[in-house]
Amino acid sequence: MDHSFKWQGRNDGEGEAHLRIHQVVNTSQHATYAFIGFSSDEGVKRNKGRVGAADAPDLIRAQLANLPVHQPVTIADLGTVVCDSGKLEAAQAELADQVERCLKQDMKPIVLGGGHEVAFGSFSGLFQYIQNHEPNKKIGIINFDAHFDLREAEQVTSGTPFLNAATLSAQHQQEFHYLCIGVAKHSNTKILFETADRLNSTYIYDDELQQKNVENIILKIQKFIGKVDYLYITVDLDVFSASIAPGVSAPAVKGVDLSVFDPLLEAIKETGKIKVFDVAECNPRFDLDSRTAKLAAYIIFNYIFD
């Protein structure tokens, strides 16, 4: 684990009303939330994508540092899992162990990615925790993403995490519950749609994600959530338009608007079932004015605070 990031930022005065996130991180023995960085773009590289996402965790932390604290909150920063020398499988296993450790300590992990290969590490951590501590509980995955990430490949990549999760579930005779929100027809091959259907996945197309449809979409999401006990939520920043998320591995032509995304995340949060949350595919190498890192921090802020 890399612990080199220094939490610092603006200090406007004494007292709770002035607090910013950098002033509350690592100040409590028992934190409610835990940041874990995942520094990897090995999966993107294997998937023939634009590398650079390995630099994301600390840049997202830097954007989080100055955000205001609106209600009492305790946050631990556990450092960053680093994928060294292309050893992605080892990094995913280390992330899974960190996530499981958090859950055992009753903390809610927030993983800062990195390529979307982060998802298999995040999911595996929740899966391990449930296998070891609450074997009867069912996991639901909600992925905000233009891509299914259900590719078949010789080795794990940023395009395989949910097929990897489906395989892990099947090996333990567990049902696979997967909802992908924001799927773009022009970004997924026919075989990916066939794989999604074979796995009984639920999906919502990007062009359905309009303000006039928000209530119907929330009903669809709630129906999915009703079948599971715990949720793993993953936000691939390429689900948003390239105008607000230019710094991603695969920029979106179309993309989802925040005015639609925000109420959907809020509705998911209100179920109280979220156990693990991550943000993926922030690629600082292609970012403009830190827009994408700011977007990642904004989403995490909305997840933490009411």
Side-chain angles (χ1 to χ4, degrees):
M1 295 291 283
D2 176 13
H3 294 275
S4 59
F5 185 79
K6 299 279 183 287
W7 285 92
Q8 56 196 13
R10 206 178 144 127
N11 190 338
D12 291 332
E14 298 304 311
E16 284 187 8
H18 293 290
L19 282 178
R20 295 174 187 270
I21 285 177
H22 71 89
Q23 293 165 296
V24 300
V25 172
N26 295 335
T27 57
S28 164
Q29 283 294 96
H30 301 286
T32 304
Y33 297 96
F35 293 145
I36 307 169
F38 186 71
S39 174
S40 168
D41 48 26
E42 175 63 22
V44 176
K45 190 173 161 189
R46 293 179 185 183
N47 202 25
K48 315 269 189 293
R50 308 197 299 179
V51 297
D55 299 330
D58 283 356
L59 288 162
I60 297 172
R61 284 183 175 101
Q63 293 301 330
L64 282 162
N66 272 327
L67 295 182
V69 173
H70 284 283
Q71 64 222 50
V73 69
T74 49
I75 302 169
D77 183 3
L78 305 183
T80 297
V81 174
V82 180
C83 176
D84 282 323
S85 315
K87 293 176 185 164
L88 175 54
E89 292 80 357
Q92 287 174 322
E94 186 185 345
L95 175 60
D97 289 344
Q98 289 287 340
V99 166
E100 184 185 9
R101 195 171 302 140
C102 281
L103 294 169
K104 280 201 300 208
Q105 293 172 14
D106 218 19
M107 291 193 284
K108 292 182 174 182
I110 299 173
V111 186
L112 316 172
H116 215 171
E117 62 267 28
V118 66
F120 186 55
S122 296
F123 173 81
S124 298
L126 178 55
F127 192 86
Q128 286 170 200
Y129 169 77
I130 286 176
Q131 288 290 305
N132 294 331
H133 302 280
E134 300 187 57
N136 300 321
K137 300 292 188 191
K138 292 180 184 161
I139 303 175
I141 302 170
I142 299 181
N143 176 29
F144 286 92
D145 199 338
H147 308 92
F148 280 119
D149 290 346
L150 288 167
R151 280 175 194 267
E152 295 198 31
E154 294 291 308
Q155 53 184 9
V156 297
T157 76
S158 60
T160 66
F162 303 110
L163 192 61
N164 303 145
T167 304
L168 180 63
S169 302
Q171 284 164 352
H172 291 82
Q173 292 78 50
Q174 298 295 318
E175 285 180 73
F176 178 63
H177 298 279
Y178 178 49
L179 166 60
C180 189
I181 302 175
V183 170
K185 273 187 190 163
H186 64 277
S187 299
N188 295 273
T189 55
K190 189 163 175 279
I191 189 77
L192 289 167
F193 280 96
E194 288 169 4
T195 304
D197 292 338
R198 176 170 58 79
L199 293 168
N200 294 320
S201 309
T202 308
Y203 46 93
I204 299 168
Y205 289 109
D206 57 350
D207 53 12
E208 294 178 68
L209 295 171
Q210 298 176 27
Q211 273 186 301
K212 63 181 182 188
N213 293 339
V214 164
E215 282 181 30
N216 286 336
I217 295 164
I218 288 174
L219 288 173
K220 207 170 185 179
I221 291 170
Q222 286 169 336
K223 187 179 172 192
F224 172 84
I225 293 174
K227 298 178 199 162
V228 301
D229 302 296
Y230 293 143
L231 291 170
Y232 158 45
I233 308 298
T234 179
V235 181
D236 184 326
L237 295 165
D238 72 20
V239 78
F240 299 101
S241 154
S243 59
I244 61 165
V248 292
S249 301
V253 176
K254 201 170 187 179
V256 177
D257 201 273
L258 279 175
S259 62
V260 175
F261 172 83
D262 287 347
L264 300 186
L265 180 59
E266 189 58 37
I268 296 166
K269 206 170 90 170
E270 280 171 8
T271 66
K273 291 184 178 182
I274 302 178
K275 277 282 188 190
V276 180
F277 189 90
D278 71 29
V279 176
E281 298 282 350
C282 179
N283 189 331
R285 202 171 290 179
F286 298 97
D287 212 356
L288 302 169
D289 300 330
S290 303
R291 271 184 230 170
T292 317
K294 280 190 169 87
L295 174 61
Y298 166 83
I299 290 165
I300 292 163
F301 175 87
N302 283 342
Y303 169 57
I304 293 174
F305 297 105
D306 294 329

